[in-house]
Amino acid sequence: MSEQTAPRGPVLDEEQLDRLARYGAPERVEAGRSLYATGDDSYDFFVLLTASVDIVRDATALEPERLIYRGGPGDFLGELNLLTGQRVYLTARVVSAGEVVRLGAAALRRAMAEQGDIAESLLAAFRQRRDVFRAAAGSVLEIVGRPDTADTRELRTYAEQMLLPHSWHSTTSDHGHSLMASAALTTDDLPAAVIGGSVLRRAKPATVAGALGLTYRPDDRPVDIVVVGAGPAGLAAAVYAASEGLVTVLLDRTGPGGQAAKSPRIENYLGFPDGISGADLARLAMLQALKFGVRICSPSIVTGLELDDHGQPAVLLDDGVRITCRAVVAATGARYRRLDVPRWAAFEESGCIQYAATELDIRRLEGQPVMVVGGANSAGQAALSLAAGGATVNMITRGADIAARMSAYLADRIRAHPRVRVFTGATVRELAGDATLTSVIMEGPDGRRERLDCRALFCFIGADPVSAWLTGVARDDDGFVLTDSRVLAGASGAPLPFQTSAPRVFAIGDLRSGSAKRVATAVGDAAAALSSIHAVLARDGTGQDPAQP
């Protein structure tokens, strides 16, 4: 086994290492000892004082043991799964005896909270090591499937959203063929995931999460806040809560980012003059949440809410787990609407109908005709991104003018783009094709129908609130959750901002009745809601000071 040296990323100087070591306990380790091993549920953070340690990927039936990285005195061990809680997928073996300092999870969180410069360096190093380990570790998580199916895209998107070290192989690639043969996979087994030699057939995000230890597992640590929904509102709420010392759990049924993660480019979000993709914004927010100790569990499907006689909430999961907490932040947003057109479900299943234009979609549709249905900002952003990627875009909207519901800068760019045609006052009537979509029949305002070539249809016609799980919480006629001034005053007086009819349940983002449906306002909701939460928790004598810095 030849030695390899992976880039360590940011390093800590001697003074920083000494400061960090004060949070842990020194111990001597002998050569041959494993500090942690593949398959462990969790592991500790180690500062290497005089010992040297190899990070290896264990041998599998197909590949021998592989050295990934050797850490020596003055280094530290750990990468992003120290924060995500992902099950260990590499082994740390001592090769030169010496002293180390061990920091458990709580000690590491405390050190990162109290030592800002160290936290910044560790987080940057963890991210870089994740990328290095992803490239070098080979078959930690391998996904194989047909690239044109919705199930495959769902699995790949989940792996990207959760920053999982993984590799993707199409059934049309040589490695895909070899992987299917070695794992005895048939087309009926796809998509499949191979994790440390174990094969998951017809893999779903939930089965992959279970195998990697990313689902919620109850422990003895009391929970202050459960945030349900990991779009911009939920991610922001989790960051603010955890950074202010509240033990925070963030649950999402698919993965961080929500609808915003599907946006190929957001150009009017403060602080990003060149724009940022929704996926990148979500990844940065997720890392920020992990930095402050948020426990992110996805997919976790919330099925209900319980309130005891004192209003103390508990969140119920579909696997029977019950999470008792001091307050709940509901940020489950809304679900995409679909057109009432024959064969819609079939083309949706085949992956020809999408509700977001991701980077994967933009790359695979270069030079192809596509259709975007809708007239708001999300539709405009998708149309421009697809056109920029080389697709020919037909944009269809029921309205008479795309500027009616779209930001002026987007409408102007769409009108000027040579690869975007806009049809106003139009409706989709038929979808054509066998296994895949080939064309769409559109009806114009004069009732005449026209067939347009189309390989993929992107639908942006609104959404309905995901609020059914909020048992006992008041909603409006459309199902959006009522908060603050829209809720009748109770025994404790007028509701606080973002407080629902259940005093310890708060609603933010697109889920809330009257929300502005923008990323910036969703994040603002979260910041304001945390002030209300602190005030409520302070009333029982055990909460934080409601006065905010």
Side-chain angles (χ1 to χ4, degrees):
M1 183 174 65
S2 61
E3 179 174 342
Q4 301 181 30
T5 302
R8 291 190 298 173
V11 297
L12 301 178
D13 61 31
E14 185 175 347
E15 186 276 331
Q16 288 175 314
L17 283 169
D18 180 66
R19 198 169 1 124
L20 180 58
R22 296 172 192 166
Y23 287 85
E27 61 181 88
R28 181 171 179 79
V29 294
E30 302 298 329
R33 175 181 170 185
S34 291
L35 300 181
Y36 50 84
T38 300
D40 289 350
D41 285 341
S42 62
Y43 67 107
D44 293 331
F45 176 87
F46 290 91
V47 177
L48 305 182
L49 299 180
T50 58
S52 295
V53 176
D54 279 351
I55 306 297
V56 301
R57 194 217 62 200
D58 292 348
T60 69
L62 300 177
E63 299 181 59
E65 182 178 277
R66 181 186 301 177
L67 175 63
I68 305 299
Y69 169 58
R70 173 165 290 176
D75 200 356
F76 51 85
L77 303 183
E79 59 101 33
L80 205 56
N81 59 347
L82 269 172
L83 305 180
T84 64
Q86 178 187 335
R87 190 163 286 128
V88 180
Y89 61 90
L90 298 171
T91 293
R93 184 182 304 129
V94 179
V95 292
S96 177
E99 279 202 333
V100 300
V101 174
R102 179 194 296 265
L103 280 74
L108 178 61
R109 282 194 298 269
R110 187 168 66 253
M112 293 185 71
E114 296 175 359
Q115 308 295 334
D117 59 329
I118 292 176
E120 183 177 348
S121 294
L122 289 183
L123 189 61
F126 290 167
R127 291 177 62 188
Q128 184 164 324
R129 290 180 181 190
R130 169 57 62 91
D131 292 339
V132 168
F133 292 170
R134 173 178 173 174
S139 57
V140 172
L141 166 60
E142 292 188 284
I143 299 171
V144 60
R146 294 183 294 270
D148 58 345
T149 65
D151 285 347
T152 298
R153 272 200 297 275
E154 179 187 29
L155 196 57
R156 292 181 63 191
T157 299
Y158 171 73
E160 292 287 350
Q161 286 178 312
M162 294 298 290
L163 307 177
L164 300 179
H166 70 284
S167 56
W168 144 252
H169 309 287
S170 169
T171 52
T172 59
S173 69
D174 291 341
H175 193 92
H177 282 301
S178 300
L179 187 61
M180 288 184 67
S182 63
L185 294 168
T186 69
T187 55
D188 289 338
D189 297 324
L190 301 179
V194 181
I195 303 174
S198 298
V199 179
L200 300 178
R201 290 172 166 79
R202 298 183 184 178
K204 299 284 188 182
T207 55
V208 170
L212 294 175
L214 292 173
T215 52
Y216 183 80
R217 291 168 287 175
D219 56 29
D220 296 332
R221 191 180 183 202
V223 175
D224 291 317
I225 307 292
V226 172
V227 181
V228 184
L235 282 164
V239 167
Y240 292 135
S243 68
E244 293 168 14
L246 298 171
V247 178
T248 305
V249 173
L250 176 60
L251 308 173
D252 194 273
R253 67 182 298 126
T254 56
Q259 291 189 54
K262 309 297 192 299
S263 177
R265 183 147 298 272
I266 301 170
E267 295 194 64
N268 57 356
Y269 189 62
L270 186 66
F272 295 92
D274 296 326
I276 184 172
S277 74
D280 285 343
L281 184 63
R283 280 191 282 267
L284 291 171
M286 176 180 172
L287 289 168
Q288 196 172 13
L290 293 171
K291 169 186 174 181
F292 289 114
V294 176
R295 186 174 174 183
I296 301 175
C297 303
S298 175
S300 291
I301 300 176
V302 176
T303 58
L305 175 73
E306 284 185 356
L307 302 169
D308 68 13
D309 293 340
H310 304 288
Q312 191 83 12
V315 172
L316 309 179
L317 305 186
D318 67 337
D319 58 3
V321 171
R322 183 177 183 272
I323 309 174
T324 302
C325 56
R326 298 169 61 204
V328 170
V329 177
T332 41
R335 189 171 289 120
Y336 302 112
R337 291 175 184 162
R338 292 157 169 78
L339 291 176
D340 185 15
V341 178
R343 303 184 65 196
W344 185 272
F347 285 116
E348 187 180 50
E349 177 64 24
S350 69
C352 296
I353 294 176
Q354 298 290 307
Y355 300 92
T358 67
E359 293 175 9
L360 294 174
D361 296 315
I362 293 168
R363 289 198 299 268
R364 73 181 175 87
L365 291 167
E366 180 181 1
Q368 300 294 314
V370 302
M371 179 173 288
V372 173
V373 180
N377 279 2
S378 55
Q381 290 162 351
L384 288 174
S385 295
L386 288 160
T392 301
V393 182
N394 289 315
M395 187 172 184
I396 293 179
T397 176
R398 288 179 180 270
D401 184 358
I402 59 170
R405 295 192 300 122
M406 188 182 297
S407 295
Y409 81 93
L410 282 175
D412 290 342
R413 290 184 188 179
I414 287 169
R415 293 188 188 104
H417 203 293
R419 282 196 296 274
V420 181
R421 286 195 303 169
V422 178
F423 298 87
T424 58
T427 306
V428 173
R429 291 303 184 193
E430 296 180 32
L431 307 174
D434 295 327
T436 59
L437 186 64
T438 58
S439 63
V440 172
I441 294 178
M442 174 200 71
E443 182 178 299
D446 58 0
R448 291 196 303 173
R449 296 193 174 192
E450 180 180 352
R451 183 181 296 272
L452 302 172
D453 288 342
C454 181
R455 301 296 177 269
L457 185 151
F458 296 85
C459 186
F460 301 91
I461 58 170
D464 298 309
V466 182
S467 59
W469 65 276
L470 283 162
T471 313
V473 174
R475 288 167 271 177
D476 66 18
D477 292 340
D478 294 319
F480 291 93
V481 177
L482 300 173
T483 59
D484 43 76
S485 62
R486 297 170 185 251
V487 178
L488 295 176
S492 56
L496 296 167
F498 305 98
Q499 192 174 35
T500 71
S501 58
R504 289 177 181 264
V505 179
F506 299 79
I508 59 176
D510 292 356
L511 178 68
R512 188 173 62 85
S513 180
S515 68
K517 310 272 187 308
R518 288 185 179 271
V519 173
T521 52
V523 173
D525 283 1
L530 254 293
S531 295
S532 298
I533 291 170
H534 281 304
V536 168
L537 297 186
R539 291 172 185 169
D540 61 20
T542 57
Q544 301 290 318
D545 187 338
Q548 297 299 298

PDB file of all heavy atoms in Angstrom, residues 305-308 311-315 322-328 504-505:
ATOM      1  N   LEU A 305     -48.338  16.686  14.574  1.00  0.00           N
ATOM      2  CA  LEU A 305     -47.901  17.517  15.687  1.00  0.00           C
ATOM      3  C   LEU A 305     -48.791  17.229  16.885  1.00  0.00           C
ATOM      4  O   LEU A 305     -50.012  17.158  16.751  1.00  0.00           O
ATOM      5  CB  LEU A 305     -48.011  18.992  15.290  1.00  0.00           C
ATOM      6  CG  LEU A 305     -47.700  20.047  16.361  1.00  0.00           C
ATOM      7  CD1 LEU A 305     -46.197  20.096  16.612  1.00  0.00           C
ATOM      8  CD2 LEU A 305     -48.213  21.414  15.922  1.00  0.00           C
ATOM      9  N   GLU A 306     -48.184  17.028  18.049  1.00  0.00           N
ATOM     10  CA  GLU A 306     -48.938  16.825  19.281  1.00  0.00           C
ATOM     11  C   GLU A 306     -48.698  18.010  20.214  1.00  0.00           C
ATOM     12  O   GLU A 306     -47.581  18.518  20.313  1.00  0.00           O
ATOM     13  CB  GLU A 306     -48.509  15.536  19.983  1.00  0.00           C
ATOM     14  CG  GLU A 306     -49.046  14.277  19.357  1.00  0.00           C
ATOM     15  CD  GLU A 306     -48.692  13.041  20.180  1.00  0.00           C
ATOM     16  OE1 GLU A 306     -47.968  13.187  21.198  1.00  0.00           O
ATOM     17  OE2 GLU A 306     -49.115  11.939  19.806  1.00  0.00           O
ATOM     18  N   LEU A 307     -49.746  18.430  20.900  1.00  0.00           N
ATOM     19  CA  LEU A 307     -49.642  19.500  21.886  1.00  0.00           C
ATOM     20  C   LEU A 307     -50.221  18.988  23.193  1.00  0.00           C
ATOM     21  O   LEU A 307     -51.369  18.533  23.235  1.00  0.00           O
ATOM     22  CB  LEU A 307     -50.416  20.736  21.416  1.00  0.00           C
ATOM     23  CG  LEU A 307     -49.988  21.341  20.068  1.00  0.00           C
ATOM     24  CD1 LEU A 307     -51.010  22.377  19.600  1.00  0.00           C
ATOM     25  CD2 LEU A 307     -48.606  21.974  20.186  1.00  0.00           C
ATOM     26  N   ASP A 308     -49.432  19.025  24.268  1.00  0.00           N
ATOM     27  CA  ASP A 308     -49.970  18.553  25.545  1.00  0.00           C
ATOM     28  C   ASP A 308     -50.840  19.639  26.170  1.00  0.00           C
ATOM     29  O   ASP A 308     -51.078  20.700  25.577  1.00  0.00           O
ATOM     30  CB  ASP A 308     -48.848  18.095  26.481  1.00  0.00           C
ATOM     31  CG  ASP A 308     -47.950  19.233  26.968  1.00  0.00           C
ATOM     32  OD1 ASP A 308     -48.323  20.412  26.798  1.00  0.00           O
ATOM     33  OD2 ASP A 308     -46.867  18.936  27.516  1.00  0.00           O
ATOM     34  N   GLY A 311     -49.452  23.028  26.130  1.00  0.00           N
ATOM     35  CA  GLY A 311     -48.998  23.551  24.846  1.00  0.00           C
ATOM     36  C   GLY A 311     -47.615  23.107  24.443  1.00  0.00           C
ATOM     37  O   GLY A 311     -47.068  23.575  23.450  1.00  0.00           O
ATOM     38  N   GLN A 312     -47.025  22.185  25.240  1.00  0.00           N
ATOM     39  CA  GLN A 312     -45.690  21.682  24.886  1.00  0.00           C
ATOM     40  C   GLN A 312     -45.806  20.823  23.632  1.00  0.00           C
ATOM     41  O   GLN A 312     -46.601  19.895  23.577  1.00  0.00           O
ATOM     42  CB  GLN A 312     -45.129  20.830  26.036  1.00  0.00           C
ATOM     43  CG  GLN A 312     -43.671  20.474  25.905  1.00  0.00           C
ATOM     44  CD  GLN A 312     -42.756  21.585  26.386  1.00  0.00           C
ATOM     45  OE1 GLN A 312     -43.220  22.532  27.031  1.00  0.00           O
ATOM     46  NE2 GLN A 312     -41.473  21.478  26.087  1.00  0.00           N
ATOM     47  N   PRO A 313     -45.011  21.117  22.589  1.00  0.00           N
ATOM     48  CA  PRO A 313     -45.177  20.387  21.331  1.00  0.00           C
ATOM     49  C   PRO A 313     -44.297  19.141  21.220  1.00  0.00           C
ATOM     50  O   PRO A 313     -43.254  19.029  21.873  1.00  0.00           O
ATOM     51  CB  PRO A 313     -44.758  21.425  20.286  1.00  0.00           C
ATOM     52  CG  PRO A 313     -43.733  22.262  20.992  1.00  0.00           C
ATOM     53  CD  PRO A 313     -44.113  22.277  22.445  1.00  0.00           C
ATOM     54  N   ALA A 314     -44.751  18.228  20.376  1.00  0.00           N
ATOM     55  CA  ALA A 314     -43.958  17.064  19.985  1.00  0.00           C
ATOM     56  C   ALA A 314     -44.197  16.839  18.500  1.00  0.00           C
ATOM     57  O   ALA A 314     -45.338  16.886  18.029  1.00  0.00           O
ATOM     58  CB  ALA A 314     -44.342  15.823  20.784  1.00  0.00           C
ATOM     59  N   VAL A 315     -43.126  16.585  17.762  1.00  0.00           N
ATOM     60  CA  VAL A 315     -43.203  16.339  16.325  1.00  0.00           C
ATOM     61  C   VAL A 315     -43.196  14.834  16.090  1.00  0.00           C
ATOM     62  O   VAL A 315     -42.375  14.102  16.659  1.00  0.00           O
ATOM     63  CB  VAL A 315     -42.022  17.019  15.607  1.00  0.00           C
ATOM     64  CG1 VAL A 315     -41.971  16.613  14.136  1.00  0.00           C
ATOM     65  CG2 VAL A 315     -42.122  18.533  15.737  1.00  0.00           C
ATOM     66  N   ARG A 322     -41.069  10.066  18.050  1.00  0.00           N
ATOM     67  CA  ARG A 322     -41.726  11.250  18.599  1.00  0.00           C
ATOM     68  C   ARG A 322     -40.648  12.148  19.208  1.00  0.00           C
ATOM     69  O   ARG A 322     -39.906  11.719  20.097  1.00  0.00           O
ATOM     70  CB  ARG A 322     -42.737  10.827  19.657  1.00  0.00           C
ATOM     71  CG  ARG A 322     -43.568  11.935  20.278  1.00  0.00           C
ATOM     72  CD  ARG A 322     -44.564  11.309  21.245  1.00  0.00           C
ATOM     73  NE  ARG A 322     -45.442  12.308  21.834  1.00  0.00           N
ATOM     74  CZ  ARG A 322     -45.171  12.984  22.946  1.00  0.00           C
ATOM     75  NH1 ARG A 322     -44.014  12.768  23.582  1.00  0.00           N
ATOM     76  NH2 ARG A 322     -46.027  13.868  23.413  1.00  0.00           N
ATOM     77  N   ILE A 323     -40.538  13.398  18.716  1.00  0.00           N
ATOM     78  CA  ILE A 323     -39.504  14.317  19.193  1.00  0.00           C
ATOM     79  C   ILE A 323     -40.170  15.400  20.038  1.00  0.00           C
ATOM     80  O   ILE A 323     -40.868  16.284  19.519  1.00  0.00           O
ATOM     81  CB  ILE A 323     -38.737  14.957  18.033  1.00  0.00           C
ATOM     82  CG1 ILE A 323     -38.232  13.898  17.045  1.00  0.00           C
ATOM     83  CG2 ILE A 323     -37.560  15.778  18.562  1.00  0.00           C
ATOM     84  CD1 ILE A 323     -37.580  14.490  15.808  1.00  0.00           C
ATOM     85  N   THR A 324     -39.958  15.332  21.341  1.00  0.00           N
ATOM     86  CA  THR A 324     -40.481  16.364  22.238  1.00  0.00           C
ATOM     87  C   THR A 324     -39.502  17.534  22.267  1.00  0.00           C
ATOM     88  O   THR A 324     -38.282  17.337  22.308  1.00  0.00           O
ATOM     89  CB  THR A 324     -40.663  15.804  23.653  1.00  0.00           C
ATOM     90  OG1 THR A 324     -41.542  14.683  23.601  1.00  0.00           O
ATOM     91  CG2 THR A 324     -41.248  16.848  24.574  1.00  0.00           C
ATOM     92  N   CYS A 325     -40.032  18.744  22.255  1.00  0.00           N
ATOM     93  CA  CYS A 325     -39.171  19.918  22.227  1.00  0.00           C
ATOM     94  C   CYS A 325     -39.863  21.076  22.932  1.00  0.00           C
ATOM     95  O   CYS A 325     -40.990  20.943  23.408  1.00  0.00           O
ATOM     96  CB  CYS A 325     -38.825  20.294  20.782  1.00  0.00           C
ATOM     97  SG  CYS A 325     -40.284  20.557  19.751  1.00  0.00           S
ATOM     98  N   ARG A 326     -39.195  22.189  22.996  1.00  0.00           N
ATOM     99  CA  ARG A 326     -39.757  23.359  23.661  1.00  0.00           C
ATOM    100  C   ARG A 326     -40.480  24.288  22.692  1.00  0.00           C
ATOM    101  O   ARG A 326     -41.327  25.075  23.104  1.00  0.00           O
ATOM    102  CB  ARG A 326     -38.649  24.103  24.396  1.00  0.00           C
ATOM    103  CG  ARG A 326     -37.994  23.244  25.483  1.00  0.00           C
ATOM    104  CD  ARG A 326     -36.745  23.879  26.023  1.00  0.00           C
ATOM    105  NE  ARG A 326     -37.024  25.177  26.643  1.00  0.00           N
ATOM    106  CZ  ARG A 326     -36.117  26.137  26.787  1.00  0.00           C
ATOM    107  NH1 ARG A 326     -34.897  25.963  26.322  1.00  0.00           N
ATOM    108  NH2 ARG A 326     -36.441  27.262  27.385  1.00  0.00           N
ATOM    109  N   ALA A 327     -40.130  24.210  21.408  1.00  0.00           N
ATOM    110  CA  ALA A 327     -40.811  25.023  20.400  1.00  0.00           C
ATOM    111  C   ALA A 327     -40.584  24.398  19.037  1.00  0.00           C
ATOM    112  O   ALA A 327     -39.589  23.710  18.802  1.00  0.00           O
ATOM    113  CB  ALA A 327     -40.308  26.460  20.414  1.00  0.00           C
ATOM    114  N   VAL A 328     -41.532  24.643  18.137  1.00  0.00           N
ATOM    115  CA  VAL A 328     -41.455  24.134  16.761  1.00  0.00           C
ATOM    116  C   VAL A 328     -41.495  25.316  15.804  1.00  0.00           C
ATOM    117  O   VAL A 328     -42.291  26.248  15.980  1.00  0.00           O
ATOM    118  CB  VAL A 328     -42.628  23.176  16.457  1.00  0.00           C
ATOM    119  CG1 VAL A 328     -42.683  22.839  14.965  1.00  0.00           C
ATOM    120  CG2 VAL A 328     -42.505  21.905  17.286  1.00  0.00           C
ATOM    121  N   ARG A 504     -46.424  27.699  21.178  1.00  0.00           N
ATOM    122  CA  ARG A 504     -45.030  27.293  21.009  1.00  0.00           C
ATOM    123  C   ARG A 504     -44.735  26.769  19.591  1.00  0.00           C
ATOM    124  O   ARG A 504     -43.728  26.111  19.366  1.00  0.00           O
ATOM    125  CB  ARG A 504     -44.650  26.232  22.046  1.00  0.00           C
ATOM    126  CG  ARG A 504     -44.559  26.802  23.459  1.00  0.00           C
ATOM    127  CD  ARG A 504     -44.242  25.729  24.480  1.00  0.00           C
ATOM    128  NE  ARG A 504     -44.178  26.306  25.820  1.00  0.00           N
ATOM    129  CZ  ARG A 504     -43.050  26.683  26.419  1.00  0.00           C
ATOM    130  NH1 ARG A 504     -41.897  26.548  25.787  1.00  0.00           N
ATOM    131  NH2 ARG A 504     -43.074  27.194  27.632  1.00  0.00           N
ATOM    132  N   VAL A 505     -45.623  27.087  18.671  1.00  0.00           N
ATOM    133  CA  VAL A 505     -45.425  26.716  17.266  1.00  0.00           C
ATOM    134  C   VAL A 505     -45.404  27.993  16.442  1.00  0.00           C
ATOM    135  O   VAL A 505     -46.300  28.829  16.544  1.00  0.00           O
ATOM    136  CB  VAL A 505     -46.536  25.771  16.775  1.00  0.00           C
ATOM    137  CG1 VAL A 505     -46.331  25.424  15.300  1.00  0.00           C
ATOM    138  CG2 VAL A 505     -46.564  24.495  17.620  1.00  0.00           C
TER     139      VAL A 505
END
